Amino acid sequence: MELRSYIIRRVLLLIPVLIGVTLFIFGITMLFPPAQRATLYVTNMRQLSDLPAIIQKYGLDKPFFVQYGTWLNQVLHGNLGWSRAISMPVAQAIPHLLPATLELAIFAVPLIVLVGIFLGTKAATHKDKPLDHGTRVVAILGWSLPSFWLGLVLMMIFYGYFSGLLPPGRLGVQMDILVDSAAFIRYTHINTIDAILNLNGPVLLDALRHLILPVMTLSVINMAFIMRLMRSSMLESLGKGYILTARAKGLAEKVVVNKHARRNALIPVITVSGYLFAGLASGAVITETIFSFKGIGWWAWQAAVMLDIPSVLAFALFTATLFVVINLLVDILYTRVDPRVRLGGAVQ
Amino acid sequence: MSKRVSKVGWIIMAALLCVSLAILPACGGGGAIPYKNPGVFVQQTIGRIDSLDPCYCYDTASGEQIYYMYEGLLGYNGTSTDTFVGLMATDYYWVNSTSLRFNIRPGVRFSNGDNMTVADVEYSFERAMVEDPDYGPVWMFYFPLLDTYGSRNSTGNITITSAEIDHAVEVVNSTCIEFNFVRPFPATTWYQIVCGSWGSIVDKAYCVAHGDWPGSWGNWTLYNNPAQTNLVLQSRAMGTGPWALDTWTPPGEIKLVKNDYYWNAGVHAVPFDRVLTQFVDSWPSRKLALLAGDCDIAYCPRTNIADLAGVADVNAVSGLPELTIDSFYFNQNITSTTTYAGSKTLDGNGISLDFFSDINVRKGFTYAFDWATYIAQAMQGEATQRGSPFVYGLPYFNPAANMYSKNLTLAKYYLEHSAWGNLTAIGFKFTLIYNTGNLVRKTACEILANNLFAISPNFQVAVLAKDWSSTMSLIRGRTWVMFQIGWLPDYADPDNYAVPYMHSQGTFSGPASFNNATVDALIAEGAISTNTTRRQEIYYALQQAWYDQLPGIILAQPLGRRFFTKYISGFEFNPTTCGQPGNLYYMSKSES
């Protein structure tokens, strides 16, 4: 009962959050003059002379709250507008692009979190030893590398040097044709999952081959943060009195570390992992662009560049909702990791 | 501690840089390009498809796909821009000076097997005029047929009648269609117009079955100016071209399959079972895909053409004269809200708002531009200087037209003798803007700014990048001092260049306040004159008028390049064709 009311409260909280976010984004876009926003509708230089007519047609010179009200009214009637960035209704664009982004997140986040936790734990338990120094170097590397640089270098090596070994995109030409044929059912539009559901090994292998580089790029960069966070959290746990007690009781070091120290050290990591998943699920702009893995992030970037306001607002709605939901799931997960945590109350 | 970590970080970064510098040149281009995907033509390019509806599409990326899936009454004859071959028409003839008839090709079928009839042809043109989407290409039908630029006035009210549309395109009999012009119209121009993607013949039965205009006049206005989301052919296609739509997955790619009913397949087989166009933003990705054999042609930005130089298995086709031109335009009446004209007065810290209304100022600036450096540095040597917007490849292009060349002495002379006094003594300051990321335009701005500074240190020209949407709105708002712009024509007729560049209401000349009654009259006459000799006189006169009046500085006509793998052959260049590969139907792919 307590959990249900907590969830209801959090979901209701979503309404003011969404209104606030969209008002903020809408306000920012209004800083651009109407003529600049009207260029969104121009696909040909000849249309330059049509800018005044475009401004009038779309009401781009009307007061801020009139324009926001018009948009909100459309949304309440189920119309999120037309996405010029992708030439389809916004309501279709999100489900259309989400599978690519989700596929990246589904593969990248577990890898980042599990390896990050493992290496962070090892670094803490081997503090100031070669292993710790080694992970520190890996972390610095991860932090230092810009994703566009890493992505390009990986692609040039594994696609360029080893001719065509790990290509960009989501599928190769032949598999791409196959998945669009009647012989292949698109259940989720997430290629790996669909390949498994269709029991199609070649598609699965091809999809995995295309996933390796973007997942690697995302992982190397994000793993560093989880690793360092886990290390410091573990060090703090290992210094606690109950760890001393556990060791004094003669428990094996493995049990002390895995059962007592790591479990408590996981709480901040779970929080960050939730945000990491939400961040990746709402798009990894550079990685999606470099590897032609066009998903939500690529769309948001295109929309921002084109001043495609309906798309930008929809992206904001989507991201805000995602973060609220992930936050909620993280809170629920806390109760599993730390029984002292009670939802709606303080740590007891 | 933090200092030590930072040091380590720098060492690692330096090591990475060294490693990548050592590795990257070796990556790609080293080995032979493998032969992949037989029977499939794969193109990697930039951009995005806006719409597959021929009456809506007004961009090259969409137009290219429409060309693959549809055919119009006529097509360009090989590389020519003013001779034609019959596609959906077998022949055509003028009944009188305002009526043109096309005999329709028998035995043609759409990709769903439907027979193409004269009713489909009539429907295609009438549908376009009925729907006439905002800011679309249908004005090209309206102007010669109904003497208007669209079906609506500025307030959006319909101003034409169904009878007018119906009369404009009439079925003569089961094999013949007739176009009725409001007045005599240049024949070649009309043929060029019907060659465009907007002239595609659509399947009436298919359109009507999917909720499109039924072809009757009872409630035709309901179908006028549909929202893009309501266009029946927005993401569907049913044409008679060599390929049919398989799937379009925005934004990534579009897949086409061979049209099994293609009318000409018995004479010349459709060369590819499938055609894939993939939209890949990153040049390194496209380049590596080409070198890995994963695509057959990759779009290469001009600034990167050296990347593919000397790669053994890549065929570079160069020296292709494109029907485009870049130019600086002088704004002769800058809006007072501008922030780019310095103090907005000619006091050494700015320019007056009408600064460029003086011909001597315009001449001084023009003589200060260095075309040789521009072509060598910005265009990588692949461009030719032109003296006016009327470029090589257009009818009535005058190869002997006058052109300016860099002459700093003359530039100084004209600037010293301007209507505003001796500018070298007064000085001026303003900001030149180019669209962000366009290195070619940036170089042009820098050449002009540096040369003006070389004439007098009192000439201070700053160069600033602005995003594309800003540049467009600034042009329209007339707040630019000089703007740099390019033009891609709708059809290869000089009128399509004369209006935007030189007419007082033109796309560029309008916002720049270039206004010359004689020029306007010549343009109006040239647009509708059917006398080729007179048209030549008119367009030669306009080319001279550009030289004399100098509304802007015409830069250079680019020479294009295409990069194919060695397995592709049969490419022929027609500058009017949308897209990189051109006419795919006559190309082939083979390992040998």
Side-chain angles (χ1 to χ4, degrees):
Chain A
M1 188 61 192
E2 193 182 310
L3 181 64
R4 189 195 297 172
S5 64
Y6 180 77
I7 292 172
I8 291 170
R9 262 190 295 142
R10 292 293 291 269
V11 169
L12 286 176
L13 188 68
L14 193 58
I15 297 168
V17 167
L18 293 183
I19 290 176
V21 165
T22 52
L23 265 174
F24 179 70
I25 303 281
F26 209 90
I28 289 175
T29 60
M30 288 299 119
L31 295 176
F32 295 99
Q36 198 169 340
R37 283 179 280 130
T39 57
L40 168 67
Y41 303 94
V42 172
T43 57
N44 185 301
M45 283 310 299
R46 181 176 289 279
Q47 297 164 329
L48 198 59
S49 54
D50 294 321
L51 284 184
I54 292 171
I55 291 168
Q56 195 183 11
K57 179 178 176 182
Y58 294 100
L60 300 178
D61 53 353
K62 289 186 177 161
F64 168 76
F65 281 106
V66 173
Q67 291 188 55
Y68 183 76
T70 306
W71 175 79
L72 195 61
N73 186 42
Q74 281 178 0
V75 171
L76 293 175
H77 286 85
N79 177 11
L80 283 166
W82 179 265
S83 171
R84 299 285 302 185
I86 191 175
S87 298
M88 63 166 56
V90 170
Q92 288 175 23
I94 294 174
H96 177 74
L97 293 162
L98 191 56
T101 301
L102 269 184
E103 189 160 38
L104 273 184
I106 286 169
F107 280 89
V109 172
L111 188 69
I112 294 165
V113 173
L114 294 178
V115 178
I117 289 173
F118 175 77
L119 290 178
T121 307
K122 288 288 175 198
T125 54
H126 295 77
K127 187 170 178 283
D128 291 335
K129 290 182 179 159
L131 186 67
D132 188 26
H133 294 312
T135 56
R136 184 181 292 131
V137 170
V138 171
I140 292 169
L141 266 175
W143 272 326
S144 311
L145 297 179
S147 57
F148 72 88
W149 182 88
L150 179 64
L152 282 175
V153 168
L154 287 175
M155 194 163 63
M156 286 178 172
I157 295 171
F158 292 102
Y159 188 44
Y161 188 73
F162 298 105
S163 185
L165 181 67
L166 297 175
R170 293 189 69 194
L171 285 172
V173 169
Q174 299 301 336
M175 294 304 127
D176 199 20
I177 291 168
L178 175 67
V179 299
D180 277 343
S181 70
F184 192 92
I185 302 169
R186 304 302 299 265
Y187 296 101
T188 63
H189 288 268
I190 295 174
N191 291 330
T192 44
I193 294 175
D194 285 348
I196 292 167
L197 295 175
N198 280 274
L199 299 176
N200 193 314
V203 172
L204 179 63
L205 287 176
D206 195 48
L208 289 173
R209 203 160 68 100
H210 284 78
L211 271 166
I212 291 173
L213 291 187
V215 166
M216 201 191 289
T217 305
L218 288 174
S219 301
V220 168
I221 285 159
N222 290 295
M223 199 185 288
F225 185 57
I226 298 283
M227 197 193 305
R228 296 305 287 171
L229 184 68
M230 187 66 197
R231 180 184 178 274
S232 59
S233 187
M234 268 299 281
L235 284 175
E236 194 184 330
S237 280
L238 287 169
K240 290 277 168 66
Y242 60 84
I243 297 296
L244 193 65
T245 309
R247 282 180 176 145
K249 279 166 67 182
L251 289 177
E253 187 61 17
K254 198 175 169 184
V255 175
V256 172
V257 169
N258 292 346
K259 194 173 174 187
H260 295 278
R262 187 157 66 187
R263 189 161 180 169
N264 287 312
L266 276 177
I267 289 184
V269 176
I270 288 173
T271 311
V272 170
S273 302
Y275 285 123
L276 178 69
F277 183 80
L280 291 183
S282 58
V285 176
I286 294 170
T287 307
E288 286 183 8
T289 304
I290 288 174
F291 292 103
S292 293
F293 220 94
K294 292 183 179 175
I296 293 282
W298 177 89
W299 176 58
W301 168 65
Q302 280 287 310
V305 169
M306 293 173 70
L307 278 178
D308 182 355
I309 293 167
S311 300
V312 170
L313 288 169
F315 175 72
L317 285 176
F318 170 75
T319 308
T321 308
L322 191 67
F323 270 83
V324 169
V325 170
I326 294 283
N327 235 340
L328 181 61
L329 291 176
V330 166
D331 285 353
I332 293 168
L333 206 56
Y334 280 164
T335 62
R336 297 285 166 196
V337 176
D338 188 346
R340 294 171 301 164
V341 175
R342 294 283 177 271
L343 291 178
V347 173
Q348 293 172 345
Chain B
M1 181 68 187
S2 64
K3 251 184 179 175
R4 220 175 71 203
V5 172
S6 164
K7 209 169 165 185
V8 172
W10 279 112
I11 292 167
I12 291 166
M13 285 296 285
L16 277 171
L17 195 65
C18 294
V19 169
S20 58
L21 284 174
I23 289 175
L24 295 190
C27 295
I33 295 178
Y35 179 70
K36 290 183 183 174
N37 307 312
V40 183
F41 182 85
V42 184
Q43 173 188 197
Q44 287 201 355
T45 186
I46 55 167
R48 65 187 184 91
I49 295 170
D50 188 35
S51 173
L52 296 179
D53 194 324
C55 80
Y56 186 93
C57 155
Y58 210 3
D59 64 288
T60 51
S62 311
E64 177 184 352
Q65 302 301 323
I66 289 173
Y67 272 123
Y68 297 151
M69 296 185 285
Y70 290 92
E71 283 179 336
L73 290 169
L74 303 176
Y76 287 102
N77 184 11
T79 59
S80 168
T81 59
D82 54 6
T83 62
F84 309 90
V85 292
L87 293 175
M88 294 301 93
T90 52
D91 58 292
Y92 45 99
Y93 55 95
W94 289 86
V95 181
N96 55 50
S97 62
T98 57
S99 294
L100 172 65
R101 286 185 180 177
F102 288 87
N103 285 322
I104 304 306
R105 186 177 296 281
V108 176
R109 296 168 80 176
F110 290 98
S111 54
N112 60 358
D114 287 356
N115 287 317
M116 194 276 294
T117 68
V118 72
D120 294 305
V121 179
E122 182 191 36
Y123 179 81
S124 300
F125 285 91
E126 290 184 347
R127 171 186 179 272
M129 289 197 284
V130 162
E131 302 199 357
D132 182 27
D134 266 343
Y135 328 119
V138 186
W139 68 270
M140 283 179 264
F141 298 157
Y142 269 110
F143 176 64
L145 295 172
L146 295 181
D147 196 23
T148 175
Y149 283 97
S151 55
R152 296 173 299 280
N153 60 17
S154 58
T155 54
N157 295 318
I158 293 176
T159 53
I160 49 137
T161 65
S162 58
E164 287 176 292
I165 298 176
D166 196 22
H167 173 69
V169 191
E170 293 278 24
V171 170
V172 178
N173 56 45
S174 63
T175 61
C176 183
I177 189 114
E178 182 176 275
F179 291 94
N180 295 303
F181 298 87
V182 72
R183 69 168 78 84
F185 189 73
T188 302
T189 308
W190 180 252
Y191 303 149
Q192 289 170 333
I193 289 171
V194 299
C195 281
S197 59
W198 33 83
S200 300
I201 306 304
V202 303
D203 182 352
K204 179 180 179 181
Y206 177 86
C207 291
V208 174
H210 286 85
D212 212 332
W213 174 58
S216 56
W217 298 106
N219 55 357
W220 71 276
T221 54
L222 296 177
Y223 297 88
N224 185 254
N225 195 19
Q228 193 170 1
T229 186
N230 295 332
L231 288 168
V232 165
L233 298 178
Q234 164 65 23
S235 52
R236 299 185 184 95
M238 190 53 63
T240 58
W243 292 277
L245 179 64
D246 182 11
T247 55
W248 172 28
T249 322
E253 64 180 12
I254 182 166
K255 295 193 195 89
L256 312 181
V257 292
K258 186 164 74 175
N259 174 6
D260 292 330
Y261 300 102
Y262 188 57
W263 61 275
N264 201 32
V267 176
H268 181 96
V270 177
F272 304 107
D273 296 330
R274 288 177 179 274
V275 175
L276 261 71
T277 302
Q278 300 173 329
F279 297 96
V280 178
D281 301 319
S282 150
W283 161 241
S285 301
R286 296 195 302 273
K287 175 192 159 189
L288 293 175
L290 185 76
L291 299 181
D294 285 332
C295 71
D296 301 302
I297 179 173
Y299 169 73
C300 176
R302 189 173 295 279
T303 44
N304 295 103
I305 56 179
D307 292 2
L308 293 174
V311 178
D313 289 350
V314 172
N315 280 344
V317 187
S318 57
L320 311 170
E322 296 172 350
L323 288 182
T324 61
I325 190 88
D326 243 35
S327 58
F328 277 111
Y329 227 103
F330 298 115
N331 189 351
Q332 300 188 33
N333 185 16
I334 304 162
T335 301
S336 58
T337 53
T338 184
T339 54
Y340 306 110
S343 62
K344 301 178 200 176
T345 50
L346 195 58
D347 55 2
N349 286 310
I351 55 169
S352 56
L353 300 178
D354 58 353
F355 181 67
F356 288 112
S357 62
D358 176 34
I359 182 68
N360 280 4
V361 172
R362 301 201 296 272
K363 279 189 177 175
F365 270 65
T366 306
Y367 277 120
F369 192 75
D370 183 351
W371 283 268
T373 305
Y374 171 74
I375 290 169
Q377 290 182 3
M379 306 298 284
Q380 315 279 312
E382 298 192 336
T384 310
Q385 185 189 346
R386 297 288 174 226
S388 79
F390 304 92
V391 294
Y392 170 78
L394 290 177
Y396 316 119
F397 166 73
N398 181 2
N402 288 315
M403 286 195 291
Y404 288 86
S405 55
K406 179 192 166 193
N407 187 330
L408 295 189
T409 310
L410 275 177
K412 188 177 181 186
Y413 170 83
Y414 281 110
L415 292 171
E416 282 173 346
H417 294 81
S418 80
W420 322 117
N422 181 354
L423 291 178
T424 54
I426 301 168
F428 56 73
K429 192 182 276 187
F430 68 87
T431 305
L432 263 180
I433 291 175
Y434 69 96
N435 50 302
T436 308
N438 193 324
L439 298 178
V440 172
R441 288 188 180 153
K442 182 186 179 201
T443 307
C445 289
E446 287 171 347
I447 290 170
L448 186 61
N450 291 340
N451 286 352
L452 286 169
F453 185 77
I455 293 168
S456 166
N458 289 335
F459 297 162
Q460 305 272 336
V461 180
V463 176
L464 181 70
K466 296 286 273 183
D467 65 274
W468 180 238
S469 63
S470 300
T471 55
M472 297 271 278
S473 63
L474 290 175
I475 292 170
R476 199 61 214 158
R478 303 177 186 223
T479 49
W480 273 30
V481 172
M482 286 175 72
F483 58 78
Q484 208 181 149
I485 203 82
W487 179 250
L488 197 65
D490 303 305
Y491 46 89
D493 187 83
D495 176 60
N496 205 254
Y497 293 76
V499 174
Y501 276 91
M502 297 184 76
H503 195 275
S504 56
Q505 302 297 317
T507 306
F508 309 139
S509 41
S513 298
F514 175 74
N515 192 339
N516 185 300
T518 310
V519 167
D520 281 3
L522 283 171
I523 292 172
E525 188 186 347
I528 56 172
S529 173
T530 55
N531 181 330
T532 53
T533 309
R534 177 62 189 143
R535 286 199 96 201
Q536 173 157 318
E537 286 169 8
I538 289 169
Y539 291 113
Y540 274 35
L542 286 172
Q543 287 167 71
Q544 182 61 36
W546 183 279
Y547 182 82
D548 295 335
Q549 304 286 325
L550 268 180
I553 307 172
I554 291 293
L555 300 178
Q557 181 177 9
L559 297 168
R561 257 181 194 260
R562 302 289 186 272
F563 292 99
F564 297 95
T565 62
K566 66 176 181 180
Y567 308 111
I568 298 294
S569 58
F571 170 73
E572 66 178 15
F573 177 71
N574 188 311
T576 60
T577 309
C578 293
Q580 291 272 302
N583 194 344
L584 265 188
Y585 180 57
Y586 290 105
M587 291 169 68
S588 61
K589 179 176 178 177
S590 125
E591 192 169 9
S592 56

